[in-house]
């Protein structure tokens, strides 16, 4: 048995066999072959296995993901069977005496570049299909395994170098019991998604993919940030007990689902949830969310090949607003960029994607995308209590321009006779230090602030939130961060506005006492954290937390602050 230490990214304990989600090595050399018949037989075998595999994946996808997701595998099957594709490969092997790998590459390269040059969007997508199928056939020729997260069909713990948010969205929760990655931090989006999916995760282990083989028995301890590989029977038994204890604790918290969140000295704060899609509403309800404090709409744009239409978006926003039954829903406009990519936008690669062309910067430039989203939101506004917020605002001008565009779309809809709520609050994420510092000016113009500490901490400390080597600098309790948070809350209150927080800090057990003391009005977190936070806040006195916050603001290091929190709440 061996153990890896990583960052505890999502609570809970899972025990299952490992499934490595690792890009295979599909490199090969061109070579001259002597027995052409043997090589053609190798190609035919690879085609046959690919076909059988695709049929099985398609059937499974129909059951788990629905007919339209399964259709993509139907298209792949047509390629494997297409004589116009296969015959030239065989001809090449015969005529040029090259190995099937090389013949496959040359013929498919020719078709791919032909498809890619066509004007027709449909044909360009066929190029992507062909690449996928080629990879599958090649993997069988070379005898290496290719992986696809959506096709995992037995209980497993996913082991990967990293998971993109769209990989994470495709994980089938029924089978994927946990995941562990080499890189990433607590606020990388795969970690955030693991928390809303309620699957345990340990990220930033550095070496998980080197040390864990397919089929190894693995324990992921998302409470301590440990991964145990091929544990002893004794360790397994002990962890099974831990699992039960964790479930019992959750059952205790569940009793608070319909309670209000009021401190021991009678102050109410709002506990809201962060969501990514309308499907997450079940979790918000089951965990007693008093609202949605952050709807990360970019997830509606992921795991697909084109932008969602206004109509599709309208249906999603309407579903969330109606589902929340009049409770507030803060929808954040598209925040693409950083670790959240949309391949179909074909944006150029950047040196520093977290500092690049993203979020509101992209929306103000690509206004059609922005306007479509705003129209969908405005049309949905009459179905519930909508608040809109813009991400990554760095200057007042950006806010004014974004709000101007929103108002233009609103007026157009009203002129068209569409019903739009006249009661929509417009706010911003405070996640860039310039905005925190200028909060007094912003507070005069916005209706609310939501502090995005995931980014605010990375930008203030100049420490990439994805990079585990600098994760020691991800310090929510650093007095520098606390002072910025205080400035934002105080300036909001001075102008009669409210201040919330939707970064991961809002759900952090150690940070909650401080945030309460700093006067935060709304705490928005992954739904499964809400009941634990409520149980904690019910026991805290706001007055005492104010004293704690006051002292913390004058301290000089994170560890002093942490010590002070521990002594106050113990
Ligand atoms: C944040 O930056 O704190 C935030 C909530 O946004 P995201 O994590 O999506 O960047
Ligand atoms: Mg952010």
């Amino acid at each position: 048995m061996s153990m890896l230490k990583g960052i505890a990214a999502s609570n809970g304990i899972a025990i299952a066999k490992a499934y490595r989600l690792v890009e295979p090595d599909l490199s090969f050399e061109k070579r001259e072959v002597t027995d052409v018949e043997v090589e053609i037989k190798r190609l035919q075998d690879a085609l046959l296995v690919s076909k059988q595999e695709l049929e099985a994946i398609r059937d499974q996808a129909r059951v788990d993901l629905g007919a339209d997701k399964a259709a993509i595998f139907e298209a792949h099957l047509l390629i494997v069977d297409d004589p116009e594709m296969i015959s030239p490969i065989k001809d090449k092997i015969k005529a040029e005496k090259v190995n099937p790998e090389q013949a496959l590459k040359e013929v498919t390269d020719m078709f791919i570049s032909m498809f890619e040059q066509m004007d027709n969007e449909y044909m360009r997508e066929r190029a992507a299909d062909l690449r996928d199928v080629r990879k599958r056939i090649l993997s069988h020729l070379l005898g290496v395994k290719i992986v696809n997260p959506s096709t995992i069909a037995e209980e497993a713990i996913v082991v990967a170098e990293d998971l993109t948010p769209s990989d994470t969205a495709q994980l089938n929760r029924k089978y994927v019991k946990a995941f562990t990655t080499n890189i990433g931090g607590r606020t990388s989006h795969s970690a955030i998604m693991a928390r809303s999916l309620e699957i345990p995760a340990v990220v930033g282990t550095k070496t998980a993919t080197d040390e864990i083989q397919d089929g190894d028995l693995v324990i992921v301890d998302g409470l301590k940030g440990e991964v145990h590989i091929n544990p002893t029977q004794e360790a397994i038994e002990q962890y099974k007990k831990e699992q039960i204890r964790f479930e019992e604790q959750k059952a205790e918290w569940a009793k608070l689902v319909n309670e209000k969140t009021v401190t021991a000295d009678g102050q109410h704060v709002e506990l809201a949830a962060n969501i990514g899609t309308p499907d997450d509403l079940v979790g918000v309800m089951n965990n007693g969310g008093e609202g949605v404090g952050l709807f990360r709409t970019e997830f509606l744009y992921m795991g697909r090949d084109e932008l969602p239409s206004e109509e599709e978006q309208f249906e999603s926003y309407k579903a969330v607003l109606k589902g929340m039954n009049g409770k507030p829903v803060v929808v954040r406009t598209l925040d693409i960029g950083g670790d959240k990519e949309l391949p179909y936008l074909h944006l150029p690669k950047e040196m520093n994607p977290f500092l690049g062309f993203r979020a509101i910067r992209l929306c103000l430039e690509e206004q059609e995308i922005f306007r479509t989203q705003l129209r969908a939101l405005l049309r949905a506004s009459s179905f519930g209590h909508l608040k809109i917020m813009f991400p990554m605002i760095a200057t007042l001008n950006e806010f004014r321009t974004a709000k101007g565009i929103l108002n233009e779309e609103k007026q157009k809809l009203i002129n068209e006779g569409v019903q739009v709520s006249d009661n929509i609050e417009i706010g911003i994420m405070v996640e860039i230090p310039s905005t925190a510092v200028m909060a007094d000016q912003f507070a005069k113009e916005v209706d609310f602030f939501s502090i995005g500490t995931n980014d605010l901490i990375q930008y203030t400390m100049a420490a990439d939130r994805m990079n585990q080597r600098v994760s020691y600098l991800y310090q929510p309790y650093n007095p520098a961060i606390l002072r910025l948070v205080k400035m934002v809350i105080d300036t909001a209150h001075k102008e009669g506005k409210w201040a919330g927080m939707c970064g991961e800090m809002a759900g952090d057990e150690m940070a909650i006492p401080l945030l309460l003391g700093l006067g935060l009005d709304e705490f928005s977190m992954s739904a499964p954290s809400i009941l634990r936070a409520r149980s904690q806040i019910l026991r805290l006195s706001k007055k005492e937390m104010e004293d704690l916050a006051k002292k913390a603001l004058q301290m000089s290091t994170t560890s002093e602050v942490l010590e002070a929190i521990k002594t106050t709440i113990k």
Side-chain angles (χ1 to χ4, degrees):
M1 159 167 143
S2 56
M3 197 260 276
L4 299 175
K5 215 49 203 137
I7 297 167
S10 178
N11 277 345
I13 290 161
I15 308 172
K17 293 231 166 99
Y19 181 98
R20 286 163 50 87
L21 206 58
V22 181
E23 272 299 307
D25 176 7
L26 294 177
S27 57
F28 63 88
E29 299 278 317
K30 176 179 179 181
R31 66 188 162 79
E32 191 180 329
V33 297
T34 43
D35 193 337
V36 166
E37 287 314 312
V38 169
E39 298 300 330
I40 289 185
K41 171 87 176 38
R42 273 183 62 222
L43 174 68
Q44 268 163 339
D45 289 347
L47 289 168
L48 183 65
V49 195
S50 301
K51 186 174 165 182
Q52 289 163 344
E53 205 171 64
L54 279 165
E55 283 168 347
I57 296 174
R58 176 203 54 197
D59 294 345
Q60 188 67 42
R62 271 195 195 135
V63 179
D64 292 340
L65 308 166
D68 40 318
K69 288 264 176 356
I72 182 161
F73 300 110
E74 205 64 72
H76 288 192
L77 274 162
L78 290 177
I79 298 174
V80 178
D81 264 342
D82 185 355
E84 289 193 35
M85 188 74 58
I86 306 307
S87 305
I89 304 175
K90 290 184 183 165
D91 291 347
K92 207 174 236 319
I93 301 172
K94 284 187 204 147
E96 298 175 23
K97 296 203 177 325
V98 288
N99 48 333
E101 291 86 346
Q102 182 68 19
L104 173 73
K105 181 180 180 318
E106 287 180 21
V107 172
T108 48
D109 270 352
M110 195 247 318
F111 279 105
I112 289 169
S113 74
M114 196 169 86
F115 289 160
E116 279 178 343
Q117 277 161 26
M118 291 186 184
D119 261 349
N120 179 327
E121 178 71 30
Y122 176 81
M123 290 315 286
R124 284 203 300 272
E125 279 165 24
R126 298 290 70 77
D129 286 341
L130 188 48
R131 274 211 175 83
D132 251 19
V133 173
R134 168 168 78 184
K135 195 164 141 187
R136 185 173 303 281
I137 303 171
L138 202 50
S139 77
H140 289 301
L141 281 169
L142 297 168
V144 294
K145 183 181 117 181
I146 53 166
V147 289
N148 178 341
S150 63
T151 57
I152 296 175
E154 56 183 16
E155 285 203 356
I157 287 177
V158 167
V159 180
E161 167 75 14
D162 184 24
L163 287 173
T164 64
S166 91
D167 286 335
T168 318
Q170 288 181 64
L171 297 179
N172 188 338
R173 227 172 125 179
K174 194 160 126 209
Y175 301 119
V176 176
K177 295 294 154 198
F179 69 76
T180 180
T181 59
N182 291 1
I183 65 171
R186 235 193 103 72
T187 59
S188 50
H189 283 93
S190 52
I192 290 172
M193 288 187 71
R195 287 196 280 284
S196 38
L197 290 169
E198 283 194 70
I199 53 177
V202 174
V203 300
T205 59
K206 299 191 183 86
T207 55
T209 56
D210 299 329
E211 315 239 350
I212 305 175
Q213 301 309 316
D214 266 323
D216 278 351
L217 189 71
V218 173
I219 298 175
V220 169
D221 178 348
L223 299 163
K224 290 204 215 94
E226 289 174 5
V227 179
H228 299 267
I229 308 162
N230 293 324
T232 59
Q233 197 52 38
E234 201 185 333
I236 295 173
E237 292 310 323
Q238 196 192 328
Y239 265 106
K240 282 190 176 158
K241 285 193 198 130
E242 292 267 345
Q243 262 179 328
I244 295 170
R245 260 202 296 278
F246 185 64
E247 291 308 318
E248 285 170 352
Q249 173 73 85
K250 284 210 300 200
E252 256 324 288
W253 290 331
K255 293 179 186 156
L256 302 175
V257 70
N258 295 317
E259 300 290 315
K260 280 245 164 282
T261 315
V262 182
T263 60
D265 51 350
Q267 300 289 319
H268 176 254
V269 290
E270 187 179 310
L271 286 193
N274 294 349
I275 64 167
T277 73
D279 295 342
D280 296 340
L281 277 195
V282 188
V284 182
M285 293 306 171
N286 292 344
N287 289 289
E290 295 167 65
V292 167
L294 169 64
F295 180 176
R296 286 187 167 94
T297 55
E298 47 281 6
F299 290 109
L300 302 178
Y301 293 67
M302 289 179 187
R304 46 187 297 145
D305 302 325
E306 56 186 9
L307 290 162
S309 65
E310 180 182 319
E311 209 48 39
E312 279 175 81
Q313 293 191 55
F314 165 70
E315 289 300 336
S316 299
Y317 304 144
K318 179 175 145 190
V320 171
L321 286 161
K322 279 182 87 166
M324 286 306 288
N325 231 335
K327 289 180 180 162
V329 175
V330 181
V331 180
R332 176 173 77 183
T333 59
L334 183 63
D335 181 9
I336 217 63
D339 61 337
K340 292 174 290 193
E341 291 180 35
L342 287 188
Y344 57 82
L345 287 187
H346 303 295
L347 295 170
K349 277 257 169 269
E350 296 180 306
M351 292 284 278
N352 291 301
F354 274 102
L355 301 180
F357 183 59
R358 53 173 297 201
I360 199 70
R361 304 164 184 190
L362 183 146
C363 284
L364 294 181
E365 184 117 347
E366 305 281 341
Q367 285 198 14
E368 258 332 287
I369 299 179
F370 193 37
R371 286 177 190 269
T372 304
Q373 177 171 42
L374 294 175
R375 285 174 68 86
L377 274 170
L378 291 162
R379 284 173 53 205
S381 65
S382 54
F383 293 91
H385 186 173
L386 172 68
K387 305 180 190 213
I388 297 178
M389 87 177 155
F390 303 124
M392 297 290 293
I393 293 286
T395 68
L396 256 166
N397 265 346
E398 283 175 340
F399 172 69
R400 288 175 186 156
T401 313
K403 189 174 168 184
I405 296 173
L406 176 70
N407 283 336
E408 276 173 29
E409 291 306 321
K410 186 172 171 184
Q411 200 48 55
K412 279 193 224 162
L413 285 168
I414 293 171
N415 295 345
E416 288 166 29
V418 178
Q419 203 185 339
V420 178
S421 162
D422 54 9
N423 189 19
I424 308 172
E425 290 182 19
I426 315 289
I428 57 166
M429 300 267 308
V430 182
E431 48 189 341
I432 296 182
S434 62
T435 302
V437 172
M438 292 291 281
D440 57 335
Q441 299 302 320
F442 278 97
K444 297 187 178 115
E445 301 191 29
V446 303
D447 295 321
F448 65 90
F449 288 133
S450 186
I451 308 171
T453 45
N454 304 341
D455 280 317
L456 185 63
I457 298 172
Q458 89 162 335
Y459 298 135
T460 306
M461 307 297 287
D464 183 345
R465 66 196 260 190
M466 299 289 290
N467 184 341
Q468 80 284 352
R469 299 192 75 168
V470 294
S471 63
Y472 75 97
L473 284 168
Y474 178 80
Q475 297 184 357
Y477 331 104
N478 187 301
I481 303 298
L482 301 182
R483 288 181 188 195
L484 288 177
V485 170
K486 179 180 162 54
M487 270 163 66
V488 177
I489 298 174
D490 286 354
T491 50
H493 289 171
K494 216 174 195 168
E495 297 292 336
K497 313 287 166 69
W498 62 271
M501 180 178 285
C502 57
E504 294 303 304
M505 182 176 179
D508 176 336
E509 228 173 328
M510 284 297 172
I512 286 174
L514 284 174
L515 297 173
L516 208 54
L518 290 170
L520 193 72
D521 303 296
E522 178 237 36
F523 297 63
S524 194
M525 57 194 73
S526 66
S529 307
I530 292 178
L531 293 170
R532 193 212 62 228
R534 182 168 295 151
S535 109
Q536 182 185 18
I537 293 173
L538 293 176
R539 286 178 274 115
L540 297 175
S541 134
K542 174 140 181 203
K543 177 77 202 45
E544 282 172 26
M545 297 310 117
E546 282 170 356
D547 294 342
L548 167 69
K550 213 178 205 166
K551 277 190 261 159
L553 286 163
Q554 297 312 317
M555 290 177 176
S556 38
T557 63
T558 294
S559 30
E560 275 176 62
V561 176
L562 258 175
E563 267 319 300
I565 303 172
K566 283 184 193 152
T567 19
T568 312
I569 65 171
K570 77 168 186 287

